[in-house]
Each structure stands twice: as C-alpha cells, then as structure tokens.
Amino acid sequence: MINLLGIGRLRPATPLTTSWGLLLLAVGLFFAVLVASTQGAYPIAVADLWSWAFGHANDEVAQTIWLDIRMPRVLLGLVTGAVLGMTGAVMQALFRNPLAEPGLVGLSAGASLGAVLAIVLTGGGFLWIGGFAFLGGFAATCLAYLLGTRSQTPAGLLLAGIAINAVGFSAMGVLIVHANDAELRDLTFWNMGSLAAANWQMLAWLIPWSGLAVAILWRQWRALNALLLGERETFHLGFDIRRLRWHLILLIALAVGPTVAVTGGIGFVGLVLPHLVRLWLGADHRWVLPASALGGALALTLADWLSRVVISPAELPIGIVTSLIGGPFFIWLLLRGARRR
Amino acid sequence: MSRMKYLFQALSVALTLCISPAGQATETPMRVVSLGGSITEIVYALDAQDLLVGVDQSSLYPPQAQTLPSVGYYRHLPSEGVVSLKPTLVLASANAGPPQVIEQIKRLGIDVMPLSDEPTVNSLEARVRAIAKALDRQAQGEALLSQFRTAWDLAHTKSVPALSATLLIMRGGRLLAAGGDTTAHVVLSESGLENIFSEQRSYQPISAEALNAQAPEVIIVTTSTVNAMGNLDAIKTHPALRLTPAVRDNRIVVLDDLLAQGFGLRVTEAIHTIRQGAWGD
C-alpha cells in the first residue's frame, strides 16, 4: 500500500516536466475560472467581461451578479480546493499513508463539531466559528495521529478516522437532538457542503489566511520528502521528528479549520488530487505540493461549476458532486493497491 | 392564400392596439417567484398563476405548479438560480433562506416580500392579504378569505368529545410520529384530537412501548405511508400498533401528505377528513 506514495519512484524530478506540469495546471485553472465565472444560471458572456473591463456597463444586474455572487463563490472554491489538495498531500506524507485526507481521518468532522458548537454556544460570528473549527480540527488530527501511528498498517489510521468521525457526528447529534425539523434539514445540507456562503468580507480574511498556511506548508517539502523515507532517515537528515510532526499537524488544522467551517463537508478532493499528481509528476514534494494545490483548486472550481449548472436554477450540493466523482476513484485506488501487493 | 394571412395579421395587430390601453403597453409584466408551498397555493387560488416564473421544491400543490422551474429547497436557495428567473417580486416564506442569499437578491434591486409562515389562522389570513395586495388581486383575496372562514367555521361547528391521537409518517423506511412543534400537531388539535406525542419535538421514530402506554384512540397516517407499507392492513397488523384502541375501534384516518404537513388554505379539508374518520362526523 505504501508504495502508492511512489517512494520507489522518488526520481530526481526532471525540472522540465514538472515546470511544464505546473504551468499546464495553472493555465487549466485560469480557463476553469473563466468557464466557472461565465457560466451559471444567469447568462453572462465572456465578451461582457471584456467590455466591463473597459468600463462599458451594458447590463448592471449581470455585472453585480458576476461581481457579488459568482466571483466570491468561484474564489472560495479555488481557495478551498487549494487548501484541501495541499493538506491532503501533506497528510499523506506525514502519516506515511496514501489514504490520509482531511475528511477520512476525521479532521473535517472535528472542525464541523467545533463550528456547530460555536453556532450553538455563541450564535455565530465568523471568528468564533473559525476559531472553534480550528480547535476541533486540531484535536481530531492529533487523535487520528496518536491512534493511527500505533498501528503499523494503513488500516489503523482509517479505523481511527472512522471512530473519530463517529464520535464527532454523534456529539453533533447530541447538540441537535433538540433542533426542530427545519434546523435538521439545514444541518443535512451543511454536511453536503456548499460554497454559497461566499462574500467579499469573508474572502478578505480567508484568502490571506489560507495563502499563508499553504505557503508555509510548501516550505516543508524537504522534511516531507525525508519523512517518506522513514523516521530514522528523517532524523539522520537532521530533522527533529517530534517537533516537525506537531508543527505540521498544527499547520494543517490552521489551514483546513476555517475553510471547513465556511464550506461544510467537501470530501475526496484532498484524497484524489495528490494521487493523480504523484502518478503524473513523481513523488518529490517540492512539486507535489504546489501541483496538488493547483489541482485541488482546478477540481473544486469545476465541481462547483457543475453543481451550479446541472439542475439550474436549483443547485446540487457540491459535496455530492465531489463524492460522486471521487468515490469511484477511491475504489479504483483500493483495487489498484490490492493488485500491486 | 398569403394575402389572407397578411390581412389576418394586420387585423390582429390593429385589434391588439385597440384593446391595450397606451399606459399598460409599456408596463413590464410582473414576474413572481414563490418560495413556500402554502404561498404558491395561494397564488393559484388568487388565479394569479400566470405571473409565476418559478417556485421552490415544496410547491407541490396544485400539481401544475410542479411544471414551473424549481429553485430547490427554500431554506437553501441558490442566489443566482433565483435571479436567473429575472423576477420582479419574490414572495418568500419567513422560513426561506439562508439570510445572505435573501440579502444578495435584495441588493440586485428585486423586491423580496417576507411572508409570515406559521401554522395559525392569523398567519394564514395575513399571508393571503399580503399576497393579494402585492399581486393587485385584493378583491379575489377578500373573497378567498371569506370562503376560507366559512369553511373553517363549518369544520368547527359540531363539538366532539376529545380523542387521543397520533400522526404517523414513513420516512427513510421508519415510522415517525409528529411531535408538539410540528404543523401536523396543529392540524390534529384543530380537529379536536389530543396528540399523544405533544411533548416530543419534530418527527421522531415511534417507540412501541411509549405508543402502547399512551394508547391512541385515533391513528392518522399519510397516503404515502400507506403506499410505502403496502396497504392499510399492514398498519393494522404493525407490531407497535395492532394492540392500540385505534386499531381495535378501526379509527384509522388516511390523510394526503400535503394536507397533513401543511397549514394552508386547504387545512379545512384536512380537518374535515380527520373528523369524518375519527367520529364519523
């Protein structure tokens, strides 16, 4: 199973392939944003964007929709995708486990529990929800780490994740047992994830925060490469393993907590994208990390576009779109791993 | 042949010009999106359905409403989806949301009219009046209200001895009973029944023990529940239900799902059906 991480293929990345790969992803992301921002329930043409850029406002409603409703949403998808892709890649290296992902190890459940607690106790407020989500996510990741690393097989981590998810969701269940019918349905939708809450005030806070977290995580690429080789090797390469691990877990929770608090449960992006990137560009984290972030952003931007246009004027919850596409991929991954062994 | 066609066209154009007053020709027609099953029902009852350009998922009655574009669940509205229907007026249940989306729609210069949506006669009457005014159908609104009040009084004329009851629906393969904060609870008490689960909140899975301890004298099931269970006999022989007084005395009422779970203009119909089943009224 571990060889799915491509340890055997830690080839010296040919700078040419990887830089072309990153460039390709960036260009793809640009076009995905263009598609996502020009298609939706309300018709807006690419040509309109062009004329607005030069100050010809022909349709004010369309312009407001594009600027105040659609763009914040597209950007939130981009940021969330980048965070999920990047943290997925980091977690897979940190846990030395190809199945690590914010959703599967219980990080998202912990963050959700924190967010629900904040809603119940304080009645909301983005800073409260974000802070509580971070604490919940951090606690869940620590727990997953402690439980998961005791077992030598990847299954141990998954089992820990299942347990943490169960505890997280039942604790939420206790909080909502007194909720009325309408609140229950709200929660159901929240668990299926949504980018609809996006607005500029929130993004003004979330983009720098997530950007910083992602940048700091990228700087850890050497350590992550070393971790893949094994603990002893990491130590001999001059890393303080214990400090490194706590440092990474803290960073992951800081990055994922606030985004999950805003978007609810969006699964599989953090799992699938790093794998695709490794298959394509090799296992060197110097390139895996930025490529996973770009790939995650690309994937979630497209998934959100799908969720908006498939049953327009209504919308599919985005978590359903990512799970519908990511779930089968996960199965393929398991089958592929089994065949290799 | 073609000359006839031209003549006909010219005639019809002339006719339209004559009929439509100059003022109205320039006025853009109202485009209404209705968010809430009871609101859509009222719009149809006011005969203003031509103004509707969109509804929400809960707008199931009358069935024609289901052919209009749906923006999904009304507590989870897509702002762009609503705006893309280019409404001039959004009739929104007070429960519609999330609030950010309602704000976004308002900021685009679209009128959003919040409407009280509680299971009470006062709320219903206020709703009808507000919608009638917004759609310029005041006369129809007053007619509708007096019609409703007559039916309401008629449904309540005969006094009946109170009976204990429970309302059951099948959701996710389980039988759930309506609690004290549900609309179904209000429909039950307006019909003269005492809900045995009035202490409980929302819809909860039935507990066989609690149910038999409370011994309901009337059991109300929805049509979809009967369909899901196969037939009425399946309910009568259900282990949790077969020993209740309701089954013994054959006081089982089958009620349309929308009637059981909504408090709209047709609530009198629900009361009537329940009374007939419970007391042979």
Side-chain angles (χ1 to χ4, degrees):
Chain A
M1 203 60 142
I2 290 292
N3 68 0
L4 271 183
L5 283 172
I7 294 170
R9 306 199 300 145
L10 192 57
R11 59 177 186 222
T14 51
L16 203 65
T17 335
T18 42
S19 33
W20 274 111
L22 285 180
L23 189 68
L24 204 64
L25 278 172
V27 171
L29 182 59
F30 174 77
F31 280 104
V33 167
L34 200 64
V35 167
S37 72
T38 51
Q39 291 194 13
Y42 199 95
I44 296 173
V46 184
D48 286 346
L49 293 186
W50 191 255
S51 60
W52 295 341
F54 292 100
H56 309 293
N58 43 359
D59 181 352
E60 243 174 84
V61 174
Q63 202 172 7
T64 318
I65 289 174
W66 188 80
L67 201 63
D68 278 357
I69 298 179
R70 206 178 283 168
M71 271 325 272
R73 194 175 163 143
V74 171
L75 286 179
L76 179 62
L78 195 150
V79 171
T80 309
V83 165
L84 289 176
M86 174 74 107
T87 49
V90 172
M91 283 174 99
Q92 285 162 17
L94 171 66
F95 289 95
R96 291 175 53 77
N97 190 322
L99 300 179
E101 189 243 3
L104 286 175
V105 304
L107 203 178
S108 304
S112 304
L113 178 60
V116 171
L117 255 180
I119 291 168
V120 171
L121 294 181
T122 70
F126 186 66
L127 275 180
W128 278 110
I129 296 177
F132 268 69
F134 156 70
L135 287 178
F138 182 61
T141 319
C142 292
L143 206 60
Y145 179 72
L146 292 176
L147 294 172
T149 46
R150 288 192 162 213
S151 145
Q152 291 304 308
T153 63
L157 178 70
L158 273 194
L159 293 176
I162 290 171
I164 294 167
N165 273 318
V167 172
F169 282 113
S170 47
M172 263 189 276
V174 171
L175 288 174
I176 60 171
V177 90
H178 288 293
N180 62 34
D181 225 35
E183 285 166 343
L184 283 180
R185 287 186 212 193
D186 289 350
L187 196 90
T188 312
F189 269 100
W190 195 70
N191 277 332
M192 291 191 283
S194 169
L195 299 176
N199 60 52
W200 287 112
Q201 293 95 304
M202 171 216 291
L203 286 172
W205 192 84
L206 196 68
I207 290 179
W209 178 274
S210 306
L212 199 66
V214 164
I216 298 177
L217 278 173
W218 188 11
R219 289 191 51 203
Q220 306 292 324
W221 63 270
R222 280 197 191 82
L224 290 168
N225 277 348
L227 272 175
L228 275 191
L229 296 173
E231 298 196 358
R232 192 172 298 169
E233 287 79 355
T234 315
F235 175 74
H236 286 306
L237 285 168
F239 293 100
D240 180 347
I241 292 192
R242 284 177 64 90
R243 256 194 69 198
L244 175 66
R245 280 190 172 142
W246 288 114
H247 188 61
L248 286 175
I249 290 178
L250 191 73
L251 276 174
I252 291 168
L254 279 173
V256 176
T259 35
V260 168
V262 172
T263 61
I266 297 178
F268 290 104
V269 173
L271 174 73
V272 169
L273 265 300
H275 279 287
L276 286 179
V277 165
R278 269 192 230 100
L279 286 175
W280 183 30
L281 297 178
D284 184 354
H285 279 85
R286 184 176 194 171
W287 309 113
V288 166
L289 294 182
S292 297
L294 282 174
L298 175 67
L300 212 57
T301 305
L302 290 178
D304 177 53
W305 166 67
L306 276 180
S307 88
R308 283 187 289 122
V309 298
V310 170
I311 53 166
S312 150
E315 269 172 25
L316 272 175
I318 189 168
I320 297 209
V321 178
T322 58
S323 300
L324 271 178
I325 300 171
F329 184 86
F330 185 59
I331 294 170
W332 174 74
L333 210 63
L334 288 174
L335 292 176
R336 191 168 167 275
R339 220 180 300 133
R340 281 216 179 162
R341 239 183 300 165
Chain B
M1 195 63 185
S2 72
R3 200 180 294 169
M4 278 287 283
K5 212 163 118 190
Y6 276 122
L7 197 70
F8 193 73
Q9 268 179 3
L11 209 72
S12 67
V13 166
L15 210 68
T16 349
L17 284 176
C18 288
I19 290 172
S20 58
Q24 256 178 19
T26 52
E27 197 179 315
T28 49
M30 205 180 236
R31 295 172 63 86
V32 179
V33 169
S34 161
L35 306 174
S38 152
I39 295 167
T40 307
E41 186 184 343
I42 292 169
V43 172
Y44 272 85
L46 292 171
D47 201 23
Q49 62 270 28
D50 292 344
L51 305 178
L52 280 181
V53 291
V55 293
D56 75 314
Q57 214 171 34
S58 71
S59 298
L60 298 169
Y61 186 89
Q64 303 91 282
Q66 295 176 37
T67 59
L68 288 165
S70 162
V71 295
Y73 183 47
Y74 73 144
R75 293 183 64 83
H76 196 79
L77 294 169
S79 28
E80 222 188 292
V82 175
V83 175
S84 73
L85 299 169
K86 301 204 168 82
T88 55
L89 173 67
V90 176
L91 297 173
S93 153
N95 299 326
Q100 311 91 286
V101 170
I102 302 282
E103 273 311 306
Q104 282 177 333
I105 296 172
K106 278 187 196 161
R107 237 182 292 138
L108 288 167
I110 297 167
D111 272 337
V112 179
M113 176 176 265
L115 295 162
S116 147
D117 198 355
E118 285 154 37
T120 63
V121 174
N122 279 344
S123 165
L124 178 64
E125 289 185 339
R127 210 179 313 149
V128 172
R129 277 211 187 89
I131 297 173
K133 187 154 179 250
L135 303 182
D136 202 19
R137 298 274 195 292
Q138 277 103 327
Q140 288 97 319
E142 286 310 316
L144 199 60
L145 281 177
S146 72
Q147 203 183 324
F148 172 76
R149 241 172 271 126
T150 314
W152 180 259
D153 292 341
L154 196 70
H156 285 81
T157 39
K158 198 170 157 195
S159 73
V160 282
L163 292 175
S164 62
T166 180
L167 186 140
L168 305 176
I169 62 167
M170 176 81 90
R171 205 185 270 170
R174 290 184 307 175
L175 275 181
L176 310 182
D181 62 344
T182 60
T183 303
H185 173 85
V186 181
V187 175
L188 288 192
S189 45
E190 285 299 343
S191 311
L193 297 172
E194 279 165 13
N195 185 4
I196 59 171
F197 290 117
S198 57
E199 299 289 306
Q200 160 198 305
R201 298 193 62 172
S202 84
Y203 285 88
Q204 306 276 352
I206 56 166
S207 131
E209 267 184 47
L211 192 85
N212 280 293
Q214 298 285 338
E217 293 161 296
V218 180
I219 291 177
I220 295 160
V221 287
T222 62
T223 316
S224 73
T225 307
V226 176
N227 292 340
M229 293 187 69
N231 52 40
L232 212 52
D233 280 335
I235 289 163
K236 289 180 185 163
T237 53
H238 189 280
L241 307 177
R242 70 190 163 89
L243 296 175
T244 56
V247 170
R248 187 192 63 210
D249 302 338
N250 203 19
R251 282 186 165 137
I252 298 180
V253 184
V254 181
L255 196 60
D256 182 80
D257 284 81
L258 294 175
L259 288 184
Q261 293 181 56
F263 194 101
L265 288 170
R266 296 188 302 148
V267 66
T268 52
E269 223 176 284
I271 295 174
H272 185 68
T273 312
I274 291 175
R275 288 195 156 215
Q276 243 176 359
W279 294 278
D281 186 12

